[in-house]
């Protein structure tokens, strides 16, 4: 075995967990030049989609495109395993339109596993991590279940829901982070030993049924878009960058990435009978018996919660989604539950189309430990233990996309730390990934955190198509994409700016420019040279010109926002004894130790007047970035 | 945590009593060492002696102790009531400085109450208004805000805006959930309501502004009708030169008087006619400017002469939309004027004679009533709005209007959200404040020392 288990010859980066966060973390670390090892309890569950068989959706779709702009893998992996595409919110403006794809789960996993296998600088090992190796406040590796210690100059924890995880089906309890999988016990104890505060969350997943048991005559077909919006940016990539796995292996391109044959989903809804069965059996739900102490996500309620909180209504929507091309397993979206198996079965049968539904994978709720993310700096490094990074669901988030984004950033920063390069911090004004990490580290979480467009104050500028433009500057720091792609993006930006100017300045009639007509919603023909540009570029130019007024204001707001982000709070700054600062604010500021004044201003419970006092105190000592 | 501040809360002159306030960490130490009471029960009156650091008795005083968290500043506080001799008070203050206190800056007690979260910004302003109130009405209004009435109103409007924002956000962030139809119409209607509520508050602010500024009352009319005589009678002294020769008053003359609940600045002006001298023409120009700025215009005519032709149209144009009174002077002489052709015939009219005291006092009564006319209605909001608050309300209202425009021209809903957020943040600046250090400095330095 050539796994480096000696102190003298450690890995640069060790990643614990190979879910959506772990995969991106390992790839980012390896791609930026760090000797990396990824550990997983089960090689066959790499990049497993534990819940719904879809990537993207509102705010998440934008995140995936941003991951692609940063050089992550999720977008390509989705495009190569997609079986249906849908752009959400097409009745709204470009900023809040979001791509989503149904994926072949197995294909998604297999391709990602293969990407890991093919990646240079990256080793893989199936082993359980049982504890941390910490020396003088710095993490130097991990303990494992096979009695070997593995050493790394930086460690990234991406263990998802596996810490002290407990699954509930009715009154039945079993240990495990996912049905059929193990739980990680030792890690929680070790975290606590080193002063890392843990919390407890709960999430759930619906049952899966056999497609042949669905009566498709009673359900409504949900088709994908005829002209899909893909996740990865293809106009700036070489073939090498597109098919980096497929070229090298048997994993050949069976999907033409241009065109796929799409599989529809199905829509049905619950009935009065469903509501009755659930209401009559609430006492069997661990959630309502008080057996579950973890907090669950409000926006992703179980069917019990929906019936109790919102009543029967005229039925709750149930989407049936295929889990892949090579299986007849279907996902019952909207029917997450922790009721006993027999109740799940009888409740399902009251839903039109599911009268004969045959459950092949029961629904369950899962409780798990998360590590409070306010203990992290903006690079996702722990403030308690140096060289230890956290990413993904362990930080209290939910969603594959949120996890992957964190993994990518933690991977870059762990690698950068080891290689003595500056940390990559994504500001809130850059995109959803910035908002995600800033919210987690400054506000913390009170329920599993999901991204929404409304969390981003500058969302009008975060249209998914502009991701490459917004993240280009990061590549001055991190080597994640090829020089070729960087040049292509730079050229794309120039082209876009040129056309924005042209449309705004050239007159189509005596006193009207193209821009004027666009803004007054009038019909006209674009110059033929413009029409021949790629769709992505055209859409970006039109958006910027048509909504110029709104977008300019957002840019001005960003300038204001940046001002307080520039005021650095020095690490040694002491909040104690500052006149006028309230005691509870001092406590919060001490525990979160914000990096900038802007960061401090977003801590809940810290008042604007506290910030003013802080500003005076800091400026007195004149620390400036 | 904080240093201890001290200030004289009563005027620095000879009086029966003087009150010295102390706030901060050292309050209890002073109670022990200077007033001989190491653990005073809070909120009780203690008769004691004030002893200097040299242990000489300076005065017999009343001391009240307010404990941390429950005092005005939310810090430990002492109030010492001593005898009102400036020399004695200076001695005590000097002794307190020696014991480690420092003199408070203007408004510092209130500033501490604000930064310690005891009061919000509207309440701090209400305290400034209470101290500076020039009329009973102003006092009453300030008291409403001290109760938090404006803050409550602002919070209520903010949450109404938030409800509409969330109506919009729901359809953006949950496009596939079963939310029913988009509620654009309802959002627009509600935002219109919010906008008019804000307008109501702004208008109300303008109205009650009469209690916080000098109101301008301008006397105009043709030359030699007795404007200056009436001016002198109203102010009760000979300020304006009176002469039979037309055009005596070439520039304007003004004087400030208190009329009941309001303060009035009264202006005597050059007679309006075709000017014969350049200097006089200048005066007439100024008169027109004054009229534009006036809260009330008194048009004076000589009742004993025929109606003067040639001037009234010009004035009539100026006083359009202005409150005005037609004053017919010289009621002691036979009437010769015929108003039937005059543009002023519909104005409120009163007849006076400068020789009759009563007719002048009924004129001042009329002036007062007219100035307060629109305020006679009930205080419909039960609160007060000052200029700073008014301008923030106006900004909020503009933002709401902009978001309405976005929705009404049919741009996608998400474009209306930044304006809604802007409105909420403008309203926030009324109650709390963010990055506006200058405003805070200005606000608190307008206090007198000791508050």
């Amino acid at each position: 075995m050539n796994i480096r288990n000696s102190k003298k010859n450690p890995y640069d980066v060790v990643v614990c967990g190979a879910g959506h966060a772990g995969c991106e973390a390992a790839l980012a670390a390896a791609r930026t030049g760090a000797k990396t090892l990824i550990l997983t309890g089960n090689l066959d569950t790499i990049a497993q989609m534990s819940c719904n068989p879809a990537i993207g959706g509102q705010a998440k779709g934008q995140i995936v495109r941003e991951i692609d702009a940063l050089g992550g893998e999720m977008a390509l992996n989705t495009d190569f395993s997609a079986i249906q595409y849908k752009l959400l919110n097409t009745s709204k403006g470009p900023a809040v339109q979001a791509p989503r794809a149904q994926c072949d789960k197995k294909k998604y996993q297999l391709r990602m596993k293969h990407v890991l296998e093919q990646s240079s600088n990256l080793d893989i090992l199936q082993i359980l991590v049982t504890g941390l190796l910490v020396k003088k406040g710095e993490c130097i590796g991990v303990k494992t279940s096979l009695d070997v210690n593995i050493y790394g100059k930086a460690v990234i924890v991406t263990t998802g829901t596996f810490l002290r995880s407990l699954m509930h089906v009715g009154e039945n309890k079993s240990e495990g982070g996912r049905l059929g999988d193990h739980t990680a016990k030792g890690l929680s104890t070790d975290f606590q030993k080193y002063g890392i505060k843990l919390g407890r969350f709960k999430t759930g997943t619906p049952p899966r049924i056999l497609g042949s048991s669905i009566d498709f005559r009673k359900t409504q077909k949900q088709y994908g878009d005829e002209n899909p919006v893909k996740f990865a940016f293809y106009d700036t990539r070489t073939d090498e960058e597109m098919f980096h796995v497929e070229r090298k292996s048997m994993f050949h391109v069976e999907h033409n990435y241009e065109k796929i044959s799409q599989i529809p989903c199905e829509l049905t809804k619950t009935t009065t009978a469903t509501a009755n069965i659930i209401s009559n059996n609430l006492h069997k739900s661990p959630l309502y018996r008080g057996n579950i102490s973890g907090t669950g996500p409000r926006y992703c309620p179980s069917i019990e919660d929906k019936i109790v909180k919102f009543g029967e209504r005229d039925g709750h929507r149930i989407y049936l989604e295929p889990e892949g091309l090579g299986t007849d397993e279907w996902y019952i979206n909207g029917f997450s539950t922790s009721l006993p198996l027999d109740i799940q079965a009888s409740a399902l049968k009251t839903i039109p189309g599911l009268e004969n539904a045959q459950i092949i994978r029961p629904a369950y709720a899962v409780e798990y430990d998360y590590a409070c993310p306010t203990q992290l700096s903006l690079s996702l490094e722990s403030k308690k233990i140096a060289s230890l990074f956290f990413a993904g669901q362990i930080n209290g988030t939910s969603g594959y996309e949120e996890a992957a984004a964190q993994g990518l950033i933690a991977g870059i920063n762990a690698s950068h730390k080891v290689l003595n390069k500056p940390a990559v911090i994504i500001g809130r004004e850059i995109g959803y990934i910035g908002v995600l990490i800033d919210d987690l580290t400054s506000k913390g979480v009170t329920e599993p955190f999901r991204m929404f467009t409304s969390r981003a104050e500058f969302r009008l500028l975060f249209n998914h198509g502009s991701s490459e433009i917004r993240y280009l500057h990061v590549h001055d720091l991190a080597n994640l994409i090829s020089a070729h792609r960087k040049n292509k993006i730079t050229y794309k930006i120039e082209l876009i700016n040129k056309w924005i100017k042209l449309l705004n300045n050239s007159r189509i009639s005596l006193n009207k420019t193209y821009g004027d007509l666009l803004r007054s919603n009038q019909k006209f023909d674009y110059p033929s040279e413009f029409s021949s540009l790629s769709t992505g570029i055209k859409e970006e130019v039109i958006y910027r010109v048509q909504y110029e007024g709104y977008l300019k204001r957002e840019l001005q707001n960003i300038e204001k926002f940046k001002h307080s982000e520039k005021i650095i709070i020095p690490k040694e700054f002491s909040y104690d004894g500052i006149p006028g600062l309230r005691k509870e604010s001092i406590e919060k500021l001490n525990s979160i130790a914000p990096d900038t004044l802007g960061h401090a201003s977003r801590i809940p419970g810290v008042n604007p007047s506290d910030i003013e006092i802080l500003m005076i105190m800091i400026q007195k000592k004149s620390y400036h970035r | 945590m904080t240093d201890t501040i001290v200030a004289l809360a009563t005027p620095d002159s000879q009086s029966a009593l003087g009150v010295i306030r102390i706030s901060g960490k050292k309050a209890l130490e002073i109670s022990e060492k200077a007033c001989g009471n190491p653990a005073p029960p809070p909120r009780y009156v203690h008769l004691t002696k004030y002893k200097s650091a040299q242990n000489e008795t300076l005065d017999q005083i009343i001391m009240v102790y307010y404990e941390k968290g429950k005092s005005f500043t939310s810090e430990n506080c002492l109030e010492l009531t001593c005898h009102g001799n400036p020399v004695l008070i200076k001695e005590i203050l000097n002794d307190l400085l020696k014991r480690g206190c420092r003199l408070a800056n203007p408004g510092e007690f209130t500033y501490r109450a604000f930064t310690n979260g005891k009061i919000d910004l509207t309440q701090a302003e209400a305290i400034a208004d209470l101290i500076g109130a020039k009329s009973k009405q102003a006092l009453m209004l300030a008291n409403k805000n001290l109760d938090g009435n404006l803050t409550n109103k602002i919070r209520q409007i903010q949450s109404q805006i938030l409800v509409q924002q969330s109506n919009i956000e729901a359809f953006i962030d949950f496009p596939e959930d079963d939310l029913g139809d988009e509620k654009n119409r309802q959002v627009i209607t509600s935002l219109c309501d919010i906008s008019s509520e804000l307008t109501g508050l702004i208008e109300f602010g303008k109205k009650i502004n009469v209690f916080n500024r000098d109101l301008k009352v301008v006397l105009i009319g043709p030359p030699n009708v007795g404007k200056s005589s009436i001016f002198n009678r109203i102010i009760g002294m000979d300020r304006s030169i009176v002469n039979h020769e037309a055009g005596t008053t070439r520039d304007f003359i003004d004087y400030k008087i208190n009329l009941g609940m309001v303060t009035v600045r009264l202006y005597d002006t050059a007679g309006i006619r075709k000017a014969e001298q350049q200097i006089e023409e200048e005066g007439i120009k100024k008169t027109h400017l004054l009229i534009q700025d006036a809260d009330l215009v008194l048009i004076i005519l000589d009742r004993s002469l025929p109606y003067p032709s040639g001037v009234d149209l010009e004035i009539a144009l100026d006083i359009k939309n202005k409150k005005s009174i037609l004053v017919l002077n010289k009621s002691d002489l036979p009437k010769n004027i015929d108003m039937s052709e005059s543009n002023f015939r519909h104005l409120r009219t009163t007849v006076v004679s400068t020789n009759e005291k009563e007719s002048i006092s009924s004129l001042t009564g009329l002036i007062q009533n007219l100035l307060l006319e629109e305020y006679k209605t009930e205080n419909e909001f039960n609160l007060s709005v000052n200029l700073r608050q008014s301008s923030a309300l106006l900004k909020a209202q503009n933002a709401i209007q902009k978001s309405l425009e976005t929705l009404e021209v049919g741009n996608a809903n998400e474009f209306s959200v930044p304006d809604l957020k802007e409105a909420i943040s403008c309203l926030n600046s009324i109650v709390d404040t963010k990055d506006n250090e200058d405003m805070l400095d200005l606000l608190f330095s307008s206090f007198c020392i000791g508050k």
Side-chain angles (χ1 to χ4, degrees):
Chain A
M1 181 179 98
N2 56 358
I3 291 291
R4 304 175 188 205
N5 58 347
S6 90
K7 259 189 204 179
K8 286 194 186 119
N9 186 21
Y11 278 95
D12 288 332
V13 176
V14 174
V15 181
C16 312
H20 304 284
C23 289
E24 293 290 354
L27 288 171
R31 286 171 183 171
T32 49
K35 293 276 167 221
T36 307
L37 169 69
I38 184 166
L39 305 174
T40 171
N42 184 353
L43 268 183
D44 296 330
T45 55
I46 286 177
Q48 169 118 329
M49 298 162 90
S50 310
C51 201
N52 61 327
I55 299 278
Q58 198 42 267
K60 295 161 177 273
Q62 285 97 323
I63 289 180
V64 180
R65 300 219 75 187
E66 291 180 10
I67 290 174
D68 189 63
L70 270 174
E73 193 63 32
M74 184 174 242
L76 279 175
N77 214 54
T78 305
D79 282 345
F80 282 101
S81 57
I83 54 178
Q84 187 202 89
Y85 281 98
K86 189 163 182 161
L87 187 65
L88 303 184
N89 261 345
T90 47
S91 66
K92 306 247 170 354
V96 297
Q97 292 179 6
R100 186 183 62 198
Q102 300 300 132
C103 290
D104 182 322
K105 276 189 177 178
K106 278 285 171 245
K107 188 162 185 182
Y108 188 95
Q109 277 185 273
L110 283 177
R111 184 184 179 280
M112 189 62 94
K113 183 177 173 223
H114 208 50
V115 173
L116 297 182
E117 289 163 354
Q118 301 272 332
S119 174
S120 50
N121 269 346
L122 182 59
D123 290 347
I124 311 173
L125 179 64
Q126 174 167 318
I127 205 162
L128 281 180
V129 174
T130 53
L132 295 176
L133 296 169
V134 177
K135 198 175 162 189
K136 290 181 188 157
E138 181 157 5
C139 188
I140 55 160
V142 293
K143 295 180 239 172
T144 71
S145 57
L146 299 179
D147 301 326
V148 276
N149 287 343
I150 293 172
Y151 295 90
K153 294 177 189 164
V155 171
I156 307 176
V157 181
T158 57
T159 49
T161 60
F162 279 65
L163 289 195
R164 274 204 301 231
S165 44
L166 190 62
M167 290 176 296
H168 298 261
V169 181
E171 281 181 65
N172 183 283
K173 284 182 225 172
S174 53
E175 289 183 345
R178 177 173 50 223
L179 210 57
D181 274 306
H182 63 277
T183 176
K185 276 183 193 165
L187 264 181
S188 287
T189 324
D190 260 24
F191 286 148
Q192 280 169 325
K193 191 168 92 191
Y194 295 112
I196 291 171
K197 218 178 110 198
L198 303 177
R200 205 142 169 87
F201 277 164
K202 166 252 155 185
T203 188
T205 193
R208 320 294 201 269
I209 60 173
L210 210 52
S212 58
S213 68
I214 301 172
D215 185 348
F216 290 112
R217 289 167 306 178
K218 294 184 181 163
T219 58
Q220 207 183 313
K221 292 231 172 324
Q222 304 287 303
Y223 292 101
D225 298 335
E226 257 175 59
N227 298 307
V229 172
K230 303 275 173 85
F231 285 94
F233 289 90
Y234 293 100
D235 55 344
T236 54
R237 275 186 161 93
T238 58
D239 275 5
E240 181 69 18
E241 282 170 289
M242 254 184 270
F243 306 114
H244 55 104
V245 189
E246 290 75 6
R247 280 276 161 105
K248 292 180 199 156
S249 69
M250 44 85 49
F251 217 97
H252 51 268
V253 196
E254 27 180 303
H255 276 77
N256 179 342
Y257 79 96
E258 290 278 317
K259 205 174 167 125
I260 59 160
S261 51
Q262 300 193 56
I263 313 293
C265 296
E266 305 284 335
L267 176 64
T268 179
K269 50 163 81 171
T270 59
T271 60
T272 312
T274 324
N276 287 343
I277 290 183
I278 285 165
S279 317
N280 293 339
N281 289 284
L282 271 185
H283 60 282
K284 295 180 185 160
S285 162
L287 211 57
Y288 284 86
R289 290 174 65 91
N291 290 351
I292 292 181
S293 55
T295 314
R298 269 176 305 174
Y299 44 76
C300 190
S302 62
I303 190 71
E304 300 90 294
D305 267 351
K306 285 190 209 172
I307 302 286
V308 171
K309 289 186 184 145
F310 306 110
E312 186 195 327
R313 299 174 58 181
D314 54 343
H316 294 275
R317 282 185 193 177
I318 301 291
Y319 289 94
L320 310 178
E321 303 172 10
E323 294 233 338
L325 296 176
T327 176
D328 199 25
E329 187 174 346
W330 284 66
Y331 177 91
I332 316 296
N333 196 341
F335 206 81
S336 157
T337 181
S338 55
L339 283 164
L341 184 55
D342 57 333
I343 311 293
Q344 294 180 21
S346 54
L348 269 187
K349 290 185 197 302
T350 60
I351 298 172
L354 304 185
E355 292 85 352
N356 297 309
Q358 219 180 310
I359 295 179
I360 56 175
R361 199 190 291 261
Y364 59 93
V366 58
E367 275 187 283
Y368 55 95
D369 286 349
Y370 69 93
C372 302
T374 50
Q375 304 168 103
L376 302 174
S377 68
L378 289 166
S379 66
L380 293 180
E381 184 176 1
S382 170
K383 290 176 190 164
K384 309 269 176 181
I385 304 174
S387 300
L388 180 67
F389 293 75
F390 286 84
Q393 209 157 359
I394 181 137
N395 286 339
T397 59
S398 93
Y400 313 141
E401 304 80 358
E402 287 89 341
Q406 293 169 65
L408 180 58
I409 299 302
I412 298 171
N413 283 327
S415 158
H416 276 203
K417 175 152 191 183
V418 173
L419 302 175
N420 283 321
K421 287 174 154 187
V424 169
I425 309 288
I426 312 288
R428 298 180 72 84
E429 76 284 8
I430 302 300
Y432 284 101
I433 297 179
V435 174
L436 169 69
I437 293 174
D438 192 79
D439 272 359
L440 288 176
T441 54
S442 62
K443 295 181 186 158
V445 289
T446 50
E447 65 180 317
F449 181 102
R450 171 179 158 185
M451 183 48 74
F452 295 112
T453 68
S454 53
R455 293 193 196 269
E457 54 272 63
F458 310 118
R459 74 172 160 204
L460 293 183
L461 296 168
F462 296 173
N463 54 315
H464 67 79
S466 66
S467 304
E468 276 187 322
I469 305 172
R470 286 181 279 122
Y471 282 87
L472 178 64
H473 69 283
V474 177
H475 299 299
D476 295 339
L477 289 175
N479 246 343
L480 275 159
I481 61 171
S482 69
H484 172 269
R485 190 171 168 203
K486 239 162 98 173
N487 288 339
K488 281 274 203 174
I489 298 173
T490 310
Y491 175 69
K492 182 158 96 174
I493 295 173
E494 281 167 11
L495 206 58
I496 287 168
N497 288 338
K498 180 186 116 183
W499 276 103
I500 291 174
K501 250 193 209 143
L502 268 170
L503 291 192
N504 268 333
N505 294 335
S506 42
R507 293 176 198 285
I508 189 167
S509 65
L510 206 55
N511 51 5
K512 298 261 183 198
T513 64
Y514 288 98
D516 295 334
L517 293 183
L518 248 177
R519 288 186 284 272
S520 53
N521 289 324
Q522 290 179 48
K523 286 223 161 108
F524 60 92
D525 291 324
Y526 286 103
S528 58
E529 211 186 323
F530 180 77
S531 306
S532 64
L533 294 169
S534 78
T535 316
I537 292 177
K538 276 190 287 191
E539 283 175 351
E540 189 61 27
V541 171
I542 292 172
Y543 180 55
R544 299 283 181 99
V545 173
Q546 186 169 6
Y547 297 104
E548 191 184 40
Y550 293 102
L551 302 185
K552 266 193 182 149
R553 196 168 121 196
E554 294 280 87
L555 289 172
Q556 285 165 2
N557 287 339
I558 285 182
E559 285 313 308
K560 273 192 232 157
F561 160 84
K562 274 188 182 163
H563 179 72
S564 65
E565 297 302 306
K566 275 190 193 129
I567 302 175
I568 291 209
I569 305 178
K571 281 217 163 68
E572 68 278 8
F573 188 81
S574 166
Y575 298 96
D576 300 314
I578 294 181
L581 214 53
R582 292 166 315 130
K583 204 172 143 201
E584 51 173 306
S585 302
I586 293 175
E587 277 168 15
K588 292 227 166 80
L589 288 162
N590 271 332
S591 86
I592 291 178
D595 299 328
T596 64
L597 196 66
H599 199 202
S601 71
R602 291 186 290 277
I603 299 172
V606 174
N607 287 347
S609 50
D610 297 328
I611 296 302
E612 275 157 29
I613 292 165
L614 271 184
M615 181 150 68
I616 299 165
M617 295 307 293
I618 294 166
Q619 280 172 341
K620 259 188 197 161
K621 295 173 184 165
S622 71
Y623 300 101
H624 257 268
R625 200 172 254 180
Chain B
M1 292 315 171
T2 56
D3 51 354
T4 305
I5 52 171
V6 58
L8 177 64
T10 45
D12 187 15
S13 61
Q14 205 157 31
S15 56
L17 298 169
V19 177
I20 293 169
R21 305 170 89 198
I22 300 157
S23 174
K25 217 163 66 170
K26 284 189 180 292
L28 272 177
E29 184 187 317
I30 287 160
S31 169
E32 176 183 356
K33 300 211 167 126
C35 309
N37 198 338
R43 290 157 189 269
Y44 276 83
V45 171
H46 310 282
L47 179 65
T48 180
K49 294 219 163 86
Y50 187 95
K51 288 189 175 168
S52 73
Q54 286 77 40
N55 208 27
E56 54 186 344
T57 301
L58 294 182
D59 193 11
Q60 189 174 47
I61 62 161
I62 298 280
M63 183 196 84
V64 182
Y65 164 66
Y66 299 94
E67 80 268 47
K68 201 175 165 180
K70 293 186 174 177
S71 70
F72 172 62
T73 57
S74 201
E75 301 166 344
N76 275 333
C77 280
L78 281 186
E79 255 175 44
L80 314 179
T81 308
C82 56
H83 292 101
N85 177 341
V87 180
L88 167 68
I89 287 168
K90 205 175 165 196
E91 282 298 308
I92 296 180
L93 283 175
N94 275 335
D95 184 65
L96 284 167
L97 298 186
K98 268 184 213 152
R99 290 177 188 273
C101 300
R102 94 175 147 73
L103 275 183
N105 297 321
E108 197 170 359
F109 285 89
T110 313
Y111 184 75
R112 287 192 175 190
F114 170 66
T115 56
N116 290 334
K118 284 294 273 193
I119 54 170
D120 66 30
L121 210 49
T122 68
Q123 288 168 316
E125 284 173 302
I127 290 171
D129 291 346
L130 258 184
I131 299 168
K134 293 203 175 76
S135 66
K136 191 181 163 196
Q137 282 293 335
L139 276 176
M140 283 159 55
L141 289 169
N143 262 319
K144 306 275 186 206
N145 278 11
L146 194 55
D147 284 345
N149 287 10
L150 178 61
T151 301
N152 294 342
K153 185 82 205 164
I154 297 296
R155 292 297 185 219
Q156 185 200 330
I157 297 176
Q158 279 180 320
S159 68
Q160 286 167 8
I161 300 173
L162 213 54
V163 168
Q164 298 317 317
Q165 190 195 330
S166 64
N167 274 337
I168 292 173
E169 299 285 7
F171 287 91
I172 294 173
D173 274 329
F174 299 92
E176 292 202 317
D177 284 54
D178 202 1
L179 299 171
D181 294 331
E182 277 201 56
K183 304 175 183 98
N184 263 10
R185 266 293 118 204
Q186 186 202 316
V187 170
I188 289 176
T189 317
S190 306
L191 289 179
C192 284
D193 290 349
I194 291 166
S195 173
S196 39
E197 183 154 20
L198 288 170
T199 310
L201 280 172
I202 296 162
E203 288 301 316
F204 177 71
K206 271 188 208 157
K207 267 199 231 166
I208 60 175
N209 201 14
V210 298
F211 300 110
N212 298 320
R213 63 180 178 91
D214 299 342
L215 300 178
K216 290 181 178 159
V217 176
V218 181
L219 275 60
I220 58 166
N224 219 15
V225 294
K227 293 188 295 297
S228 298
S229 301
I230 292 177
F231 179 88
N232 287 340
R233 291 293 182 281
I234 293 176
I235 67 171
M237 59 189 264
D238 286 345
R239 173 91 168 72
S240 210
I241 303 159
V242 181
N243 199 304
H244 291 298
E245 194 185 318
T248 310
T249 307
R250 291 183 178 174
D251 201 346
F252 65 80
I253 287 168
D254 64 316
Y255 194 77
K256 197 158 125 179
I257 49 165
N258 269 312
L259 287 182
M261 287 204 279
V262 290
T263 310
V264 165
R265 190 170 284 278
L266 198 64
Y267 293 86
D268 184 18
T269 63
I272 296 178
R273 63 164 178 179
K274 221 168 158 42
E276 284 165 7
Q277 285 169 288
Q278 211 181 355
I279 199 170
E280 206 180 314
E281 190 182 3
E282 208 42 46
I284 292 170
K285 253 190 212 159
K286 279 187 185 162
T287 303
H288 283 285
L289 285 178
L290 273 178
I291 292 173
Q292 280 173 27
D293 218 22
D295 293 288
L296 176 67
V297 180
L298 302 187
I299 301 146
I300 322 275
L301 293 178
D302 188 336
R303 184 174 170 271
S304 66
L305 294 176
Y307 188 77
S309 55
V311 286
D312 80 333
L313 247 178
E314 214 175 324
I315 306 176
L317 278 178
D318 267 4
I319 64 163
K320 218 175 162 189
N321 300 328
K322 284 274 170 204
K323 283 187 200 172
S324 41
I325 307 175
L326 176 63
V327 182
L328 298 179
N329 193 17
K330 304 186 186 175
S331 62
D332 46 338
L333 298 178
K335 177 182 175 184
N336 269 317
I337 202 162
D338 174 10
M339 294 298 294
S340 58
E341 297 294 308
S342 167
N343 280 316
F344 304 139
R345 65 185 184 278
H346 299 302
L347 291 183
R348 190 187 305 253
T349 306
T350 184
V351 176
V352 299
S353 162
T354 48
N355 296 327
E356 289 166 22
K357 232 180 168 180
E358 270 168 37
S359 71
I360 294 296
S361 66
S362 79
L363 174 62
T364 57
L366 190 61
I367 292 171
Q368 244 185 88
N369 283 341
L370 232 74
L371 285 174
L372 290 175
E373 193 175 44
E374 62 271 55
Y375 195 68
K376 288 268 163 59
T377 54
E378 283 288 294
N379 180 347
E380 65 247 66
F381 294 106
N382 214 16
L383 47 77
S384 167
V385 180
N386 68 23
L387 283 176
R388 182 191 77 84
Q389 295 154 352
S390 225
S391 87
L393 286 169
L394 192 63
K395 277 188 200 153
Q397 200 247 357
N398 283 338
I400 297 280
Q401 282 302 331
K402 270 197 211 154
S403 71
L404 273 168
E405 241 168 72
T406 299
L407 293 172
E408 277 164 352
V409 302
N411 277 338
N413 284 358
E414 68 268 19
F415 291 106
S416 69
V417 174
D419 281 312
L420 295 182
K421 286 188 180 165
E422 167 83 12
I424 290 175
S425 120
C426 290
L427 293 176
N428 226 26
S429 74
I430 295 177
V431 180
D432 207 332
T433 152
K434 205 164 189 173
D435 49 65
N436 198 348
E437 201 52 35
D438 298 346
M439 193 283 297
L440 276 186
D441 281 352
L442 197 70
L443 173 71
F444 286 99
S445 61
S446 71
F447 282 83
C448 49
I449 304 210
K451 251 296 168 189

